[in-house]
Amino acid sequence: MLPRVRAPELPQNYSWFNTDKPLSLKQLKGRVIILDFWTYCCINCLHILPNLKYLEQKYKDSLTVIGVHSAKFDNEKETENIRQAILRYDVEHPVIVDSNFRLWEEYAVRAWPTLIIIDPEGYVIGQISGEGNRDILDELIQKLIQQHQNKGTINFQEISLTLEKQRQPLITPLAFPGKVLATPTGLFIADSGHHRLVVSSFDGEILHLIGTGKSGLTDGAFSEAQFFAPQGMAYDAENQILYVADTENHTLRRVDLKRQVVKAIAGTGKQSHNINPHSGAGLETALNSPWDLVKVGNTLFIAMAGPHQIWEMDLESGIIKTYAGIGTEACIDGSLGESAFAQPSGITNDGQELYIADSEVSSIRGVGIVEPYQVRTVCGSGGLFDFGDVDGQGEDVRLQHCLGVEYAQNFLWVADTYNHKIKLVSLSGNCQTVLGDGSAGLQNGQGKNSRFFEPSGLSVLNSHLYIADTNNHSIRRVNLDTFEVKTLQFIGLCAPDVCIPSNL
């Protein structure tokens, strides 16, 4: 614990979200305050949001949580992008945009996420970095409330907030789609913000809605099943089975298209905090934010974003285990057992290597699945703070938090997410911008005359590239012969609770 020092006041002239007016520590006197220093790219920051929500609801008359968004990437400094992240991750507490790291420096913060605890008299009495501290915080808050109740220095009263989701409800047909998968059967869309899967034909006819649209972890029929922010998918066409990374449930799900049933096959529903390489039976092994999947033979390879590792699951035996990565957030090449990744969020393969969109080091990595089983960096410098928008060769390339990668015809398509671009990378590491002018927006057109807004997922089928254009709540289709970009329309698709399509 830190010695009691007076908490620096919050700037009133900065941008605020989830509140009608700026908040001050002076007006919040009498309440316990937690300042959450976060940045929306960071998986560890996202992991503590449910814990904060639990505490906010438990102590709503005496605790105020304030998010302090201190951006890592340039793209995260844009206020509209922060607003979209607040909507995507259902943040319900006030958030201040910490321009130029002013509060970060005033509170001597050193890492994301960091929580600063301020007592009802306005003194900083604690600082906790990292995730997994809910019980410690719960106990501390209880003690502070009791202590200040005895002193008569607590002010029990609920604070009224105006949330961004009240101003901008997620009523678009798709909400923050994270990934898309094109197969001869049709398009599979991870409608992440609506906690469901959408299956459509290529001309926009809805074939299936899988999931109720409410977050949860429920197996069963398509109309009963529940997901929580699903992301990557892999399809077994022969058996009509879709595998799903159910990211915020920390599970893998199996969707049987013939029987129209969803079933968990790996994960316990609880987040694992074990970063050491390990293995176990699928449903007995806790996972940590599986983000994307690819099926190679009878093996499912998983981009496990939480522990910064690549995992594998034997679909016959049901055993799941670490495949590569020591669990340290870094970019280390070499053998599977000595390699390191940084929030791997996209995965594809060419039969010889897996290719990984390694988002926090803004690099594309190659992982051998045949001898000599080596890990390499295809392009990007591999530094946690080396990012930008530079085409070129190998380590000279700069990407910005790339989330998607797709192999097709000896090239890699890359969703350079925070640069709002789609790039083409050769297996030897040459990277060139093909789509998008670099500005966030929704604009159809040809090649670089198009616009995207944090595209996150890619899939190629025949002569078309499909893009999950996440912050545009859209699926885009690119003709690979002409590089013409179009936005797909889905007939009769509605947000959950907005309308029920009559043909389903």
Side-chain angles (χ1 to χ4, degrees):
M1 298 292 286
L2 299 174
R4 267 168 52 107
V5 294
R6 177 68 68 180
E9 188 52 272
L10 305 174
Q12 299 298 287
N13 59 337
Y14 282 19
S15 296
W16 285 78
F17 297 107
N18 283 339
T19 174
D20 281 331
K21 55 187 182 299
L23 300 179
S24 68
L25 299 185
K26 184 179 178 183
Q27 79 183 80
L28 293 171
K29 196 171 180 182
R31 301 176 69 79
V32 178
I33 298 168
I34 294 177
L35 301 182
D36 170 28
F37 284 82
W38 69 302
T39 185
Y40 74 78
C41 68
C42 168
I43 191 79
N44 310 97
C45 298
L46 302 183
H47 284 159
I48 67 169
L49 290 175
N51 294 339
L52 293 175
K53 188 166 285 194
Y54 167 85
L55 295 169
E56 289 171 74
Q57 290 170 351
K58 183 172 181 178
Y59 301 106
K60 58 187 173 185
D61 61 348
S62 50
L63 170 69
T64 298
V65 174
I66 297 174
V68 182
H69 192 273
S70 307
K72 171 185 172 179
F73 289 100
D74 291 341
N75 182 65
E76 294 176 296
K77 296 174 183 176
E78 301 291 335
T79 53
E80 180 55 30
N81 300 353
I82 298 167
R83 185 198 313 278
Q84 293 304 315
I86 287 166
L87 291 167
R88 188 185 327 169
Y89 298 115
D90 196 23
V91 176
E92 295 182 316
H93 51 248
V95 173
I96 182 173
V97 179
D98 184 20
S99 299
N100 301 316
F101 278 70
R102 172 180 158 181
L103 286 169
W104 177 282
E105 289 169 359
E106 287 182 350
Y107 280 90
V109 174
R110 295 287 175 267
W112 297 280
T114 292
L115 301 175
I116 303 286
I117 299 92
I118 301 171
D119 74 9
E121 292 179 292
Y123 289 92
V124 174
I125 54 90
Q127 175 174 319
I128 301 174
S129 294
E131 51 177 284
N133 298 302
R134 190 179 91 173
D135 292 343
I136 295 169
L137 285 165
D138 199 347
E139 190 178 332
L140 178 58
I141 293 165
Q142 283 185 41
K143 282 183 180 173
L144 282 171
I145 290 171
Q146 187 63 57
Q147 178 186 336
H148 286 272
Q149 213 171 348
N150 295 340
K151 286 174 72 175
T153 49
I154 196 146
N155 174 22
F156 289 109
Q157 125 184 27
E158 235 180 291
I159 286 187
S160 178
L161 299 171
T162 303
L163 303 183
E164 299 306 313
K165 68 180 182 181
Q166 293 167 334
R167 293 190 181 104
Q168 190 178 333
L170 287 180
I171 56 174
T172 47
L174 298 173
F176 299 107
K179 301 290 183 185
V180 61
L181 180 62
T183 75
T185 302
L187 280 181
F188 294 99
I189 301 161
D191 189 9
S192 310
H194 287 325
H195 311 293
R196 66 183 180 183
L197 307 173
V198 175
V199 188
S200 81
S201 68
F202 295 104
D203 58 6
E205 180 192 355
I206 302 302
L207 305 176
H208 299 288
L209 292 179
I210 307 172
T212 64
K214 303 285 186 192
S215 62
L217 178 52
T218 305
D219 287 342
F222 285 3
S223 60
E224 302 165 353
Q226 290 183 309
F227 300 85
F228 193 174
Q231 289 282 342
M233 300 160 287
Y235 187 53
D236 175 352
E238 184 181 347
N239 296 299
Q240 295 182 46
I241 300 293
L242 181 73
Y243 296 97
V244 182
D246 194 4
T247 302
E248 291 196 36
N249 276 325
H250 309 291
T251 62
L252 302 183
R253 313 288 289 279
R254 180 183 187 271
V255 177
D256 187 325
L257 273 295
K258 282 190 285 191
R259 294 176 53 233
Q260 299 194 12
V261 168
V262 177
K263 185 181 179 187
I265 58 168
T268 62
K270 303 289 184 187
Q271 181 194 351
S272 169
H273 294 287
N274 183 0
I275 64 168
N276 297 313
H278 60 287
S279 68
L283 291 171
E284 296 170 12
T285 305
L287 309 180
N288 188 349
S289 293
W291 208 277
D292 200 8
L293 307 173
V294 69
K295 185 175 178 288
V296 183
N298 218 27
T299 300
L300 207 56
F301 286 100
I302 305 128
M304 199 74 76
H308 314 294
Q309 292 168 332
I310 307 304
W311 281 48
E312 64 175 323
M313 182 173 187
D314 185 319
L315 293 170
E316 214 166 292
S317 68
I319 298 295
I320 192 165
K321 61 184 179 181
T322 313
Y323 182 73
I326 56 177
T328 300
E329 186 177 18
C331 181
I332 301 174
D333 292 342
S335 70
L336 301 178
E338 65 190 9
S339 62
F341 301 85
Q343 207 172 305
S345 303
I347 189 168
T348 187
N349 88 103
D350 67 355
Q352 306 292 307
E353 282 182 292
L354 305 171
Y355 297 100
I356 310 297
D358 212 11
S359 63
E360 281 295 288
V361 286
S362 300
S363 298
I364 302 299
R365 315 286 298 284
V367 181
I369 50 176
V370 297
E371 289 190 56
Y373 301 107
Q374 293 291 297
V375 176
R376 68 185 177 109
T377 300
V378 179
C379 69
S381 76
L384 279 164
F385 293 90
D386 292 340
F387 57 85
D389 185 4
V390 180
D391 292 348
Q393 180 65 40
E395 64 182 23
D396 296 330
V397 170
R398 292 293 180 271
L399 306 170
Q400 191 180 179
H401 197 72
C402 46
L403 289 177
V405 60
E406 171 78 335
Y407 171 81
Q409 296 179 329
N410 291 318
F411 283 93
L412 300 170
W413 291 94
V414 174
D416 192 3
T417 306
Y418 285 3
N419 283 325
H420 316 294
K421 289 182 174 181
I422 309 299
K423 297 185 177 180
L424 193 59
V425 176
S426 72
L427 302 188
S428 60
N430 185 273
C431 173
Q432 299 297 326
T433 299
V434 177
L435 303 166
D437 67 2
S439 297
L442 177 60
Q443 180 176 303
N444 292 330
Q446 193 167 25
K448 296 177 189 177
N449 291 322
S450 55
R451 283 189 177 171
F452 306 89
F453 193 176
E454 293 192 10
S456 303
L458 304 173
S459 187
V460 171
L461 183 68
N462 302 323
S463 60
H464 287 96
L465 169 68
Y466 295 86
I467 301 167
D469 195 4
T470 303
N471 282 11
N472 277 325
H473 314 299
S474 299
I475 303 299
R476 317 287 291 279
R477 180 170 62 198
V478 183
N479 183 322
L480 294 180
D481 295 325
T482 64
F483 292 140
E484 192 72 32
V485 179
K486 292 187 176 178
T487 303
L488 293 184
Q489 303 297 322
F490 296 96
I491 303 153
L493 181 64
C494 303
D497 300 330
V498 173
C499 69
I500 299 170
S502 58
N503 61 328
L504 296 180

